[in-house]
Amino acid sequence: MPPERPPAFSGAKDLPEKLDSDGTTITVGDPDAKVKVHLYEDPRCPYCEQFETSGGGPQLRKALVDRRATAQYTLASFLGDRVGGSGSKKAVNALRAALEEGKFVEFHEMLYLYQPEESIDGYTDAYLLKVAGEVEGLRSPAFDAAVKSMKYRAFVTASQKAYERAGGTAEPEGPGTPTAVINDKRIPAELGEVLLDGTLFTQLLQQIHTNPLEWEHTTLRAHRASRGGAEEARPAPDGRVRRATAMALESAGRGAAAAHRRAAQRGGLPWQDAARTRSSRPACQGAIAERRLEDGVSR
């Protein structure tokens, strides 16, 4: 008889959360879940907001509650250096303070729900405390003091360095946000549509949960068009990949290629159709932004 599956958690607020031994990774959910999703985010990034509010984030939280997945977070804070301000660093510090109170999951969700415009640098101490007030039981003299004093400044710095290391030698400034690594396999930027589409992300998580070994042997690669800046990304041929997983990734590749073509035609942002309109060009998708520059598409 297979071991009885543990019951689901009663809700997101009851998910276990902890700081890993590396001092930077925050893990949420059942550590024994089959699917492990490692996310790299900057709290100020508008694409991270889209992932967390209307893309794959809500579906990931459902998977966490159902014990089908574990989430790991590496929190970057580079946007202040790119667009000015200190909001990213302040928000990461506040998230670490929320973890100390056992409220990371709830505060993390609220931060993206009430994310200011990227260009405004709106994560001030006062604003962060106002958002924290939306999380029952989070505000306290200790939490408020941690936010105002940047108590976890060392964590903010170490977490940013961990993000940069994740980019390796090819991306020394980090892989771009949001980036997802699922069961040690990174979703490439060309397949970013998977993260921004809740249906595709759900399909992908389900297929990996059902057949983790097949995901392990899946090879992802991008296919670049000869000219015009359009790219298509899809799984490399592999007989062990189940059709449903391949279909989810193929759909993402087609969506990305179509977005690239629309961008080239109108000289706009390649992800404009998927992302909410912003007053300035998002600076968080490093890999995507660099590819736009290489292809000569106006940003």
Side-chain angles (χ1 to χ4, degrees):
M1 292 288 292
E4 185 176 349
R5 179 181 174 184
F9 296 103
S10 59
K13 65 173 60 178
D14 296 315
L15 289 168
E17 51 188 46
K18 69 169 185 174
L19 182 66
D20 283 4
S21 58
D22 63 9
T24 58
T25 304
I26 296 174
T27 296
V28 174
D30 184 348
D32 295 325
K34 289 183 180 180
V35 181
K36 290 179 171 53
V37 182
H38 195 137
L39 292 164
Y40 296 85
E41 298 181 331
D42 186 313
R44 204 170 155 186
C45 168
Y47 291 124
C48 296
E49 180 271 341
Q50 188 185 349
F51 169 78
E52 290 292 349
T53 61
S54 61
Q59 308 308 317
L60 175 58
R61 285 191 287 276
K62 291 180 182 177
L64 296 178
V65 170
D66 291 341
R67 295 181 184 265
R68 291 183 289 113
T70 303
Q72 297 173 310
Y73 297 88
T74 296
L75 302 173
S77 53
F78 59 85
L79 276 173
D81 295 333
R82 296 193 183 183
V83 298
S86 57
S88 290
K89 293 180 174 64
K90 287 180 176 290
V92 172
N93 174 74
L95 282 164
R96 176 64 182 86
L99 177 67
E100 199 70 12
E101 303 296 325
K103 299 286 185 179
F104 172 84
V105 172
E106 296 170 81
F107 185 56
H108 177 264
E109 184 176 354
M110 288 297 105
L111 269 188
Y112 284 110
L113 184 62
Y114 296 110
Q115 186 194 68
E117 292 287 325
E118 181 190 36
S119 61
I120 294 175
D121 192 33
Y123 282 138
T124 62
D125 292 346
Y127 190 78
L128 288 166
L129 293 175
K130 184 177 181 180
V131 174
E134 299 296 315
V135 178
E136 184 178 358
L138 178 55
R139 290 291 300 272
S140 69
F143 175 81
D144 291 6
V147 171
K148 293 176 182 177
S149 68
M150 283 289 292
K151 177 179 179 178
Y152 298 102
R153 189 185 305 273
F155 168 82
V156 175
T157 300
S159 190
Q160 171 62 25
K161 289 181 178 178
Y163 164 77
E164 293 169 359
R165 288 195 298 272
T169 56
E171 299 167 306
E173 295 184 352
T177 57
T179 288
V181 178
I182 306 180
N183 285 10
D184 298 321
K185 192 181 298 295
R186 176 175 162 183
I187 304 297
E190 295 85 358
L191 289 172
E193 196 81 359
V194 165
L195 304 182
L196 303 182
D197 187 309
T199 300
L200 291 179
F201 193 75
T202 299
Q203 292 173 357
L204 184 58
L205 289 184
Q206 182 57 49
Q207 291 305 320
I208 297 172
H209 181 267
T210 302
N211 288 285
L213 288 179
E214 291 183 353
W215 173 250
E216 181 180 338
H217 292 99
T218 300
T219 302
L220 304 179
R221 69 185 181 199
H223 296 259
R224 183 183 295 272
S226 58
R227 297 188 64 84
E231 292 180 356
E232 182 179 1
R234 61 177 183 262
D238 189 328
R240 290 168 291 190
V241 180
R242 294 187 74 234
R243 174 175 291 274
T245 301
M247 287 175 61
L249 293 170
E250 287 280 7
S251 295
R254 287 194 297 271
H260 283 230
R261 288 192 293 271
R262 288 193 296 269
Q265 290 167 3
R266 67 171 180 265
L269 291 172
W271 300 91
Q272 190 77 43
D273 290 345
R276 61 180 174 150
T277 302
R278 292 281 173 161
S279 58
S280 66
R281 178 184 63 83
C284 51
Q285 276 282 10
I288 293 175
E290 288 302 317
R291 193 163 59 252
R292 298 289 76 67
L293 184 61
E294 293 171 3
D295 292 340
V297 178
S298 171
R299 297 176 295 164

